[in-house]
Amino acid sequence: MKRYYITTPIYYVNSAPHIGTALTTIVADACARFQKQRGREVYFLTGTDENAPKVHRVAQERGVPTQQFVDEMAEVFAHTWRALHIEYDVFIRTTEARHTRVVSEVFRRLREQGDIYKGSYQGWYCIACETFFASSKIDQSRTCPDCSKPLEWRDEPCYYFRLSAYEARLREHILANPQFVQPEVRRNETLGFIGEGLQDVAVSRTGADWGVPVPDDPDSGVVYVWFDALLNYLTATGWLERGENYLDTWPPDLQLMGKDILPRFHATIWPAMLMALGLPLPERLYGHGWWIVNQQKMSKSLGNVYAPLEVAQSLAQASGCEQPYAIDAFRYYLLREMPTDSDAEFSLEGFEARYNGDLANDLGNLLHRTLSMMHRYFGGRVPQDARVDASIADLFAQQAARVTEAFEAVDYPRGLREAWQIIGAVNRYYDEQAPWTLMKQGNAERAGQVLYAGLIAARLLSGLIEPVMPQVARAIAQQLNLSAVPCWSDATVMNAIPSGHLLQEPTPIFPRLQTKTKTPTEAQAAPAATPTPLKEPKPMPEPITIDDFKRLQIRIATIKAAEPVPKSNKLLKLTLDVGGEERTIVAGIAEDYAPDQIVGKQIPVLVNLQPALIRGIVSEGMMLAADVDGKAVLLHPDRAVPSGSVVR
RNA sequence: GGCGGCGUAGCUCAGUUGGUUAGAGCAACCGGUUCAUACCCGGUAGGUCGGCGGUUCGAGUCCGCCCGCCGCUACCA
């Protein structure tokens, strides 16, 4: 069977990876892993685009030999992808000899058969954008309409690719194959673009000394970077080197990219080139939307470019989440919020909300509560004859099918929503069945039955989320003490964990992020979403200044009264004297101290904490106490001091 | 100017071919629960579905016009 061939674009090495290129690559990785989970052999290609004149210039500006510059940048990309758990099979670089051979050969063949012909080109050219502009688009300043950099006048002999000859065939192919260009918006856009009439495109450039030379015509400069770049997808299959064997990989099953390079390049020039070569076309081209930050496009000049690893890193540091799981959390966020038709908003707040809500509270907590009960009630062993109730087993199967369908359609937001339905269903199931009550009633058999459904759900989820969060999937499998993450078809097998199977002790995979509550004024005053700077990683752990400390107002308070908060187990309502002023605070110490035990005692209290409503009581401060394995131990002054004494 | 798309709850978004009281998640509020990571479950509130008009027994959904935003593209300067 042919390998499932999946590609990302090759990335420009001029700037480091950001959340946009990370999205494309992570989507590709998820698709690749999804196919592998389903048993397909996969060939996953990514790489770097190094044959652009712009690359040469940037290297010169930095005073670095160009080859060294591209070597270093290629390594930055490869390193970033590996760190993001991207499991690519090939990392192609357009400076590789095998690629330049392919480019030369394709150029020669098309020239011989008349699809490439010689003409000349005149116009204003932007080196940064690799684009010519019609003189009507240019004003007096002669700067690029897109990037505002100065334009160069070019008048050069030039080879053209006869794109116009393929206009009709391209249109027919797109019309006859709805899956060829996706999503629908991009397909319409492409048809619109073709409908306006395709012009032959220049495929060589003179005046550049970096790139693949035009074969057999040294005076004609180098092959146009787009023509060169697109062919990387062919090179990577071993076309030209492996005889007919390249067909074990070719054509691509799925080519992913940002929406900007789909209609005009991947859906027109690229298939036309393949038609000219007489090669089968890619099965499916998918262009996702872009991230916007604070309603604006990401751009270096705006300083709102996020570096993927640093975003994940800062989450790890803020939450205490282990690095690999923080990386997976980042992958989850990008895929859960992935822009499809239009652009979507990226924000650290959104990331944190997904982390706490979906990952810590839902996925992490479900696993944790299930394993905790298994250990508490059954010594961590799967009870005899446990089976999943038919009703909930049906739901598992149905949701798994929906996830499959959505992932197949590259709709990760939907697929993940469907997967999370399983979590909600088990939480509700626990609530209805209340295994903790069953245990108190002595019905251990039924309780085991109920919890077994949770175990099977966790096992199923580890399989379903593997494409999105591979390391987390592994961690779940480990806590379940399974030898591996189940593959797609195996994951849906019910009752797959045998009786007597010993489970691991649970440890939280996603420690909850303590959210800093902001007052509305603070939220306004704070600079909107301080992006992680690309070049200067935040030093962590970040020391605070004495001024930061001085913002905390801590005083010694005398406890005047204490009473349990109704309908709570852990809370005491304390009435305090903080120096002529009375305060009410709610403290979570009821399990460790009785109310009459602490009345009259003196404790330090953070008095300028924003009030919070807890169980209907306004808590106006926070008691400070030592935390000993989760138990509160009160702190008292060495001798009695006046209420309200400042602690510093 | 043309083409395509978008505008739905405070926020992020779903809404199949027009069909009963317009949905989800988060945030808010209230209640329940205690196995669990201040968790989970339930409920409440919150929308003139950008505006106006039309077709229809019935419009978030179809048509027209307008407003705002985005993408592509043209032309004039």
Side-chain angles (χ1 to χ4, degrees):
Chain A
M1 193 184 195
K2 186 184 121 24
R3 297 193 276 194
Y4 192 92
Y5 183 26
I6 184 167
T7 71
T8 74
I10 43 178
Y11 302 111
Y12 248 163
V13 290
N14 294 49
S15 52
H18 50 76
I19 55 172
T21 46
L23 175 67
T24 314
T25 315
I26 289 171
V27 171
D29 187 61
C31 291
R33 288 174 182 275
F34 172 59
Q35 292 301 331
K36 282 184 237 178
Q37 272 287 83
R38 303 187 73 203
R40 284 291 294 269
E41 192 187 340
V42 169
Y43 194 64
F44 172 13
L45 169 73
T46 187
T48 42
D49 182 4
E50 306 175 359
N51 285 336
K54 184 181 172 185
V55 171
H56 190 39
R57 288 208 176 184
V58 170
Q60 284 179 327
E61 281 165 18
R62 298 194 190 176
V64 182
T66 307
Q67 189 61 50
Q68 183 190 328
F69 174 71
V70 298
D71 287 350
E72 286 170 6
M73 288 306 290
E75 183 47 37
V76 168
F77 275 86
H79 169 262
T80 302
W81 299 154
R82 285 192 298 265
L84 289 174
H85 308 154
I86 306 295
E87 220 171 56
Y88 56 80
D89 295 290
V90 204
F91 190 97
I92 197 170
R93 300 179 53 188
T94 52
T95 46
E96 290 173 45
R98 61 172 180 151
H99 178 64
T100 56
R101 274 201 299 276
V102 167
V103 174
S104 302
E105 177 60 21
V106 169
F107 198 96
R108 261 193 210 104
R109 282 194 196 180
L110 297 192
R111 187 171 53 192
E112 272 165 32
Q113 69 192 47
D115 276 308
I116 287 178
Y117 61 92
K118 201 164 188 177
S120 74
Y121 200 95
Q122 294 148 359
W124 291 100
Y125 183 72
C126 175
I127 297 189
C129 305
E130 312 281 354
T131 313
F132 276 93
F133 291 96
S135 44
S136 61
K137 281 215 160 191
I138 314 256
D139 61 14
Q140 296 295 332
S141 67
R142 301 212 169 119
T143 53
C144 174
D146 289 346
C147 71
S148 302
K149 289 186 180 146
L151 296 169
E152 291 181 1
W153 176 254
R154 295 281 181 91
D155 180 354
E156 53 193 40
C158 173
Y159 283 98
Y160 283 89
F161 172 56
R162 215 176 282 282
L163 179 62
S164 57
Y166 293 93
E167 184 181 318
R169 279 180 65 190
L170 273 173
R171 191 194 348 253
E172 281 162 27
H173 185 80
I174 294 169
L175 287 172
N177 298 278
Q179 87 295 340
F180 182 59
V181 185
Q182 288 184 330
E184 186 112 10
V185 204
R186 306 277 93 87
R187 182 167 179 260
N188 292 339
E189 218 172 283
T190 307
L191 286 168
F193 176 64
I194 295 174
E196 284 159 17
L198 294 178
Q199 307 295 312
D200 292 349
V201 290
V203 289
S204 70
R205 293 281 187 274
T206 53
D209 48 0
W210 184 257
V212 181
V214 171
D216 318 316
D217 189 356
D219 295 338
S220 287
V222 298
V223 175
Y224 180 39
V225 65
W226 265 107
F227 190 87
D228 170 335
L230 288 165
L231 287 169
N232 89 85
Y233 304 127
L234 191 54
T235 303
T237 65
W239 182 77
L240 217 59
E241 290 174 342
R242 298 174 59 224
E244 290 297 298
N245 289 337
Y246 80 101
L247 289 169
D248 64 8
T249 306
W250 188 266
D253 292 273
L254 179 59
Q255 300 204 267
L256 289 155
M257 68 209 77
K259 62 176 184 177
D260 51 323
I261 55 173
L262 179 50
R264 283 194 291 170
F265 296 102
H266 285 79
T268 47
I269 301 176
W270 172 228
M273 285 163 67
L274 294 171
M275 284 174 176
L277 286 168
L279 292 172
L281 302 190
E283 195 57 33
R284 183 147 70 131
L285 306 167
Y286 188 98
H288 61 72
W290 286 14
W291 292 117
I292 50 176
V293 176
N294 292 326
Q295 321 282 329
Q296 288 174 308
K297 243 183 224 178
M298 274 195 312
S299 79
K300 269 198 230 171
S301 53
L302 286 171
N304 58 3
V305 178
Y306 286 92
L309 293 181
E310 288 170 13
V311 173
Q313 181 91 21
S314 65
L315 177 85
Q317 281 156 350
S319 67
C321 178
E322 283 179 45
Q323 187 79 10
Y325 309 140
I327 296 278
D328 274 3
F330 176 71
R331 289 169 59 109
Y332 173 81
Y333 174 68
L334 288 198
L335 292 171
R336 181 63 181 72
E337 308 279 351
M338 168 186 163
T340 53
D341 286 6
S342 51
D343 299 341
E345 183 81 22
F346 177 96
S347 74
L348 295 180
E349 290 81 0
F351 182 30
E352 290 170 1
R354 287 283 170 215
Y355 177 81
N356 263 356
D358 296 358
L359 299 179
N361 293 350
D362 289 344
L363 180 62
N365 184 245
L366 178 65
L367 177 70
H368 197 258
R369 71 191 299 207
T370 301
L371 290 176
S372 294
M373 282 189 274
M374 289 302 304
H375 277 276
R376 176 182 294 230
Y377 302 148
F378 302 102
R381 287 198 182 272
V382 175
Q384 289 301 309
D385 301 323
R387 304 191 66 77
V388 182
D389 280 356
S391 59
I392 200 150
D394 287 349
L395 184 133
F396 290 172
Q398 176 195 312
Q399 290 310 118
R402 289 184 176 172
V403 174
T404 308
E405 198 265 316
F407 281 9
E408 193 70 69
V410 199
D411 191 343
Y412 289 95
R414 196 175 93 229
L416 291 169
R417 273 200 301 274
E418 298 292 359
W420 256 244
Q421 291 291 320
I422 295 171
I423 298 169
V426 175
N427 275 330
R428 277 188 295 277
Y429 181 66
Y430 280 178
D431 217 58
E432 289 157 11
Q433 304 291 328
W436 46 92
T437 307
L438 291 167
M439 287 308 291
K440 283 174 194 156
Q441 294 165 346
N443 192 349
E445 190 185 336
R446 180 60 193 155
Q449 191 95 338
V450 170
L451 292 174
Y452 189 69
L455 287 180
I456 292 298
R459 179 177 179 278
L460 169 61
L461 284 164
S462 82
L464 296 182
I465 65 167
E466 197 278 343
V468 176
M469 297 190 284
Q471 295 299 322
V472 170
R474 204 146 302 151
I476 292 173
Q478 270 166 19
Q479 295 202 16
L480 294 173
N481 199 17
L482 303 174
S483 54
V485 174
C487 76
W488 208 261
S489 55
D490 183 35
T492 50
V493 174
M494 293 298 120
N495 310 320
I497 304 178
S499 299
H501 178 87
L502 184 64
L503 302 159
Q504 298 286 334
E505 290 281 349
T507 32
I509 298 170
F510 305 108
R512 200 161 200 286
L513 199 59
Q514 297 308 312
T515 47
K516 44 234 164 199
T517 39
K518 284 186 203 163
T519 63
T521 46
E522 267 178 350
Q524 275 174 5
T530 323
T532 314
L534 196 58
K535 292 291 171 193
E536 299 166 315
K538 265 190 229 162
M540 290 293 273
E542 207 172 352
I544 65 167
T545 65
I546 186 72
D547 292 325
D548 290 333
F549 176 71
K550 281 179 180 165
R551 296 182 58 208
L552 306 176
Q553 269 201 43
I554 303 169
R555 289 166 188 257
I556 296 298
T558 307
I559 301 174
K560 308 304 281 185
E563 57 179 294
V565 174
K567 294 169 185 170
S568 87
N569 304 338
K570 296 178 185 169
L571 302 181
L572 289 187
K573 176 183 167 188
L574 307 180
T575 306
L576 307 175
D577 177 358
V578 285
E581 189 193 343
E582 200 165 83
R583 291 254 186 162
T584 301
I585 70 169
V586 177
I589 55 168
E591 289 178 341
D592 307 312
Y593 291 92
D596 51 4
Q597 198 180 345
I598 57 170
V599 172
K601 299 245 167 124
Q602 292 195 309
I603 53 167
V605 172
L606 178 63
V607 294
N608 64 337
L609 182 69
Q610 192 200 343
L613 195 65
I614 303 171
R615 285 265 164 218
I617 300 164
V618 178
S619 180
E620 308 162 302
M622 185 172 81
M623 185 186 86
L624 302 183
D627 181 334
V628 181
D629 296 331
K631 289 190 178 298
V633 177
L634 294 192
L635 311 174
H636 305 299
D638 188 40
R639 59 184 169 83
V641 299
S643 294
S645 297
V646 172
V647 177
R648 57 190 181 116

